[in-house]
Amino acid sequence: MTTATTRKLTMINGDGIGPEVCDAVRKVLEGAKAPLEFEYRDCGAEAVNKYGTNLPDETVESVMRTRVGLKGPTATGIGTGQQSANVQLRKRLDLYASVRPVRSVPGVKTRYEDVDLVVVRENTEDLYAGIEHIVVPGVVESIKIITEKASTRICRYAFEYAARKNRKKVSAVHKANIMKLSDGLFLDCFRKVARDFPQLQAEEVIVDNLCMQLVKNPEKYDVLVMENLYGDIISDLCAGLVGGLGVVPGSNIGTECAVFEAVHGTAPDIAGKGLANPTALLMSSVMMLEWLEMPDIARRVENAVWKVYTEGKVKTGDLGGKANTAEFTQAIIGAME
Ligand code: NAI
């Protein structure tokens, strides 16, 4: 039933394990009594059979209307075919900031403890602009686009995020020693924005050095801001520090709307078997609840997830447990206060 305070959201199941993890999250959100109404729309490989495109206009229009989407993973062909639905969605909705908090999960054994960092990745340009051409047969050129506008916007987002979340430090990740113009511009923008946030420490780190530092001392880092390609790679590296893609949330934020999604893929090897771990999408839904200014419900869901992990009795197969998706989901709902 829709009440005056009920928010509509666009639910995009996606492919593979997408429908399974989306269903689990919906059950948890209902269990948490989140005042949400779900508008289901299609996207991904399955959508191609129905609409002839992996991103139907109906889906984009729905997110524009509801202003918020919760999305399962979508399959993308490698080297051929249509551009990834994710990339298109980010472009069409101008979701310029990809934000991935990476935090050690209680009971998930990894090499590191106390990791608590956030990767803020520019989402709209860099080599991902997809501007490529064949110069002569056997020679291909891919163009890296970096603009002052997009770099300033993402750096400002990172500093504002850090200030809002009581973080201490923002690190700009770059390779300006080699790409003096493009990464140099990004760094200039970072420095200018940093001046407006004197309460936050601003540091600069070269991307290859960052990779080494992250595997040695990840607890040194707080908020990291970077261009698109570095962000893609670093965010997966960071997910690996805390137990992999199954436990890390993701979000794509724009000025008008936002889409929250797990960072893992469609897991074709376990799709349809009811074995998927919905934690990543669940934690993405916690970010979504915060964005929707429903902090109490966000805490209720997050605390329940943390409680189940801390107890360690109910775990899915990817984390060495025996529970299936339904049993894990039930455990989260049962742990809710
Ligand atoms: P993947 O993340 O789907 O799978 C890698 C491994 O992790 C598999 O063994 C899988 O079973 C496991 N896994 C992933 N998520 C899991 C979960 N929630 N619970 C339990 N186990 C999980 O990566 P892969 O195989 O490289 O990609 C498969 C497809 O997914 C491709 O078509 C790719 O394009 C797409 N993809 C989509 C993404 C998105 O929509 N955001 C992100 C990454 C990949």
Side-chain angles (χ1 to χ4, degrees), residues 17 21 100-110 115 117 235-250 261-265 276-287 302 305-306 309 314-320 328 332:
I17 59 168
V21 290
R100 295 186 183 180
V102 176
R103 198 155 39 125
S104 298
V105 182
V108 176
K109 209 173 152 14
T110 64
V115 178
L117 55 84
S235 52
D236 274 20
L237 189 161
C238 290
L241 301 173
V242 297
L245 300 179
V247 293
V248 178
E261 61 174 345
V263 300
H264 59 71
N277 181 357
T279 304
L281 194 65
L282 261 177
M283 295 310 290
S284 308
S285 78
V286 169
M287 291 181 82
E302 185 177 47
V305 174
W306 247 233
Y309 273 100
V314 186
K315 276 187 194 168
T316 46
D318 56 316
L319 298 177
F328 180 79
I332 303 283

Side-chain angles (χ1 to χ4, degrees), residues 123-135:
N123 241 350
T124 64
E125 55 180 27
D126 193 2
L127 283 158
Y128 283 63
I131 305 171
E132 294 191 316
H133 61 267
I134 297 169
V135 181

